[in-house]
Amino acid sequence: MFYLDPGLYVSSGLKKKKMELCEALMKGRPGAGLYIIYKNENSGKPEFTRGIFLRQSYYSKRRVHVLGLAEDYDEALEYLAYSAAEAAGVF
């Protein structure tokens, strides 16, 4: 099951399709070409993976807290870098 964060990050290239993407996630069908940023349930820190990997049974048995949607690897990595810097008090 996917839980969307109230402050869901969506990269600029996906803003027009935000509702479609969110609906697909809620139905358990994350986009294969997307990068899904989620909170690790053990560490509480953000991670990301390709959307197609979230279709595995491992994720269907867990509550996945989705923090953001990115259109490519660089966008997802940029989100994590910003999040790490913010947690370290750089900003």
Side-chain angles (χ1 to χ4, degrees):
M1 173 195 262
F2 298 103
Y3 165 70
L4 301 177
D5 192 77
L8 184 71
Y9 165 79
V10 179
S11 64
S12 58
L14 299 175
K15 289 197 188 275
K16 290 182 181 178
K17 299 191 303 184
K18 180 179 178 180
M19 290 306 292
E20 288 176 42
L21 298 171
C22 289
E23 286 176 8
L25 268 175
M26 297 309 291
K27 292 178 182 176
R29 297 186 314 240
L34 290 177
Y35 284 86
I36 310 295
I37 304 162
Y38 64 97
K39 186 184 288 188
N40 181 300
E41 63 184 335
N42 296 320
S43 70
K45 296 182 180 177
E47 297 180 353
F48 71 89
T49 189
R50 293 190 59 127
I52 197 162
F53 295 134
L54 293 182
R55 294 181 183 179
Q56 297 174 0
S57 63
Y58 171 84
Y59 292 103
S60 67
K61 297 175 184 174
R62 288 171 171 63
R63 185 177 166 112
V64 179
H65 184 157
V66 178
L67 300 172
L69 306 171
E71 59 191 317
D72 59 31
Y73 180 85
D74 292 337
E75 292 271 345
L77 194 59
E78 187 176 315
Y79 177 91
L80 291 185
Y82 181 80
S83 177
E86 190 175 50
V90 174
F91 293 115

